[in-house]
């Protein structure tokens, strides 16, 4: 009797399980390309000026496309003896081209995603492969990962060292892609974005150093640029500077302050992401190094001088009433015109 009851219970259980309605499990839906959030993409955005080693936090998106959503599936039980493979999420892929700064010779040192290092090395000058860019965003079904290879261009001014990217031509069409001469940019061919259809915050460590003045340590002070070399580039460079004739600049005085600054360990790194005049940049560097620039009335050349305690007071010229040739105008001051406070 007991065995009959147990058998009847098992049969009843199986009948109920088999006749139970299947759960309505819906597949996850993929986001579209319209849902992807991009870094700034402004047609008239200035190309950043980079001198020394800087962190570029505002790349300009100059192309995106080749979007794909690949489903993530797993087997889910739908009954006692049945299961179903359903889509639980998506891994998203997207091609990108980001403009970073002015060249030529701008070297890529590191890539950050969400303020975490995803790649470090040296890319450039010229066109360089950047392989193994990777950052774990939380793991499988928890955010996925950012993963990509890339090609970096250091902003050279000729097609030999700054060729047109083949991946972009394959996406847009031959003859429709510029070489972006003079602009450092990086192309991500179908990067894996992770399991969310949005781009993460990206930043790039870039370096640009020159040594037209022939200063010590190739014009560098640590990771920074020698301020004298930076001033010379801003004033004379015809592509990213003011295009001033070098003959107008007293390079002897500029090299002299460059040597002093190297001894002091006083370097500078400049990134300019908004419109600015060259003279204001030079003045800002002079403010940092405590220097002045003036035009020699005899030669017409611009002379640079550091304000330092490098003189003997007794050797300074003294000008007093004996040196007055003629008084053009004179008036007595009243008490309310007496200077009561001097700010230095």
């Amino acid at each position: 009797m007991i065995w009959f009851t147990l058998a009847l219970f098992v049969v009843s259980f199986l009948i109920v399980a088999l006749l139970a309605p299947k759960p309505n499990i819906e597949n996850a839906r993929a986001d579209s390309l319209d849902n992807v959030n991009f870094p700034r993409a402004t047609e008239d955005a200035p190309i950043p000026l980079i001198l020394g080693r800087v962190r570029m936090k505002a790349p300009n998106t100059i192309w995106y496309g080749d979007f794909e959503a690949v489903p993530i599936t797993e087997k889910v039980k739908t009954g006692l003896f049945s299961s179903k493979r359903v889509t639980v999420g998506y891994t998203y892929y997207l091609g990108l081209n980001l403009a970073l700064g002015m060249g030529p010779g701008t070297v890529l040192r590191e890539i950050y995603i969400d303020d975490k290092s995803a790649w470090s090395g040296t890319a450039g000058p010229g066109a360089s492969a950047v392989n193994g860019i990777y950052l774990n965003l939380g793991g499988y079904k928890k955010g996925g990962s950012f993963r990509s290879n890339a090609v970096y261009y250091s902003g050279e001014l000729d097609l030999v060292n700054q060729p047109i990217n083949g991946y972009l031509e394959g996406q847009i069409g031959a003859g429709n892609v510029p070489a972006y001469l003079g602009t450092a940019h990086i192309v991500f061919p179908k990067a894996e974005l992770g399991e969310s259809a949005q781009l993460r915050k990206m930043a790039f460590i870039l370096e640009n150093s020159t040594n037209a003045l022939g200063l010590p340590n190739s014009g560098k002070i640590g990771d920074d640029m020698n301020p004298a070399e930076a001033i010379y580039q801003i004033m004379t460079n015809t592509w990213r500077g003011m295009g001033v004739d070098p003959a107008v600049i007293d390079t002897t005085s500029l090299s002299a302050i460059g040597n002093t600054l190297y001894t002091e360990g006083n370097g500078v790194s400049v990134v300019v992401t908004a419109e600015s005049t060259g003279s204001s940049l030079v003045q800002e560097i002079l403010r940092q190094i405590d220097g002045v620039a003036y035009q020699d009335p005899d030669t017409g050349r611009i002379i640079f001088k550091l304000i330092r305690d490098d003189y003997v007071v007794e050797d300074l010229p003294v000008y007093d009433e004996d040196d007055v040739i003629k008084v053009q105008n004179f008036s007595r001051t009243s008490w309310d015109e007496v200077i009561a406070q001097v700010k230095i």
Side-chain angles (χ1 to χ4, degrees), residues 12 16 23 47 75 127 155 157 167 196 216 218 220 248 263 287 304 307:
S12 300
V16 171
I47 306 172
K75 189 178 291 186
L157 299 172
Y167 168 75
S196 177
S218 301
K220 297 176 64 176
V248 177
T263 302
R287 184 196 64 78
F304 296 86
I307 302 173

Side-chain angles (χ1 to χ4, degrees), residues 213 215 228 250-262 304 306:
L213 293 175
L215 298 173
D250 187 279
T251 54
T252 301
S253 66
L254 194 55
S255 297
I257 73 170
N259 289 320
T260 300
L261 293 169
Y262 176 74
F304 296 86
L306 291 175

Side-chain angles (χ1 to χ4, degrees), residues 36-248:
V36 181
N37 296 316
F38 296 96
R40 68 188 179 105
T42 308
E43 185 176 344
D44 59 349
I47 306 172
L49 169 67
I50 295 167
L51 297 173
R53 182 176 290 201
V54 302
R55 185 184 182 107
M56 164 50 60
K57 299 183 289 185
N60 196 10
T61 305
I62 50 182
W63 177 85
Y64 65 89
D66 199 12
F67 179 78
E68 184 180 5
V70 177
I72 302 172
T73 62
E74 66 179 20
K75 189 178 291 186
V76 177
K77 290 187 68 64
T78 58
L80 187 61
F81 301 110
S82 62
S83 61
K84 179 182 179 182
R85 185 163 290 276
V86 298
T87 300
V88 296
Y90 287 84
T91 300
Y92 297 93
Y93 297 84
L94 186 70
L96 284 169
N97 186 16
L98 303 179
L100 303 181
M102 300 185 76
T106 299
V107 176
L108 174 64
R109 297 293 187 186
E110 197 162 2
I111 299 174
Y112 283 85
I113 299 173
D114 280 354
D115 293 326
K116 297 177 182 178
S117 179
W119 178 89
S120 62
T122 300
S128 304
V130 182
N131 296 324
I133 304 169
Y134 174 78
L135 182 66
N136 189 326
L137 303 174
Y140 178 63
K141 294 193 296 183
K142 295 181 180 179
S145 60
F146 184 99
R147 191 191 314 266
S148 182
N149 293 326
V151 181
Y152 173 75
Y153 300 86
S154 59
E156 306 308 307
L157 299 172
D158 61 277
L159 285 171
V160 174
N161 296 299
Q162 182 101 348
I164 296 172
N165 182 265
Y167 168 75
L168 293 179
E169 278 199 318
Q171 294 296 315
I172 304 173
N176 297 324
V177 181
Y180 301 100
L181 298 180
T183 300
H185 67 109
I186 186 168
V187 178
F188 295 90
K190 206 159 193 175
E192 178 184 328
L193 304 183
E195 296 168 10
S196 177
Q198 65 177 358
L199 289 177
R200 305 284 173 158
K201 181 172 66 174
M202 303 181 74
F204 302 84
I205 304 298
L206 302 171
E207 181 180 322
N208 193 299
S209 297
T210 60
N211 193 23
L213 293 175
L215 298 173
N217 195 35
S218 301
K220 297 176 64 176
I221 300 177
D223 289 334
D224 296 321
M225 197 173 195
N226 193 302
E229 178 67 21
I231 290 173
Y232 187 79
Q233 288 298 316
I234 292 170
M235 294 188 68
T236 64
N237 194 284
T238 56
W239 163 239
R240 57 187 179 188
M242 301 165 66
V244 174
D245 185 351
V248 177

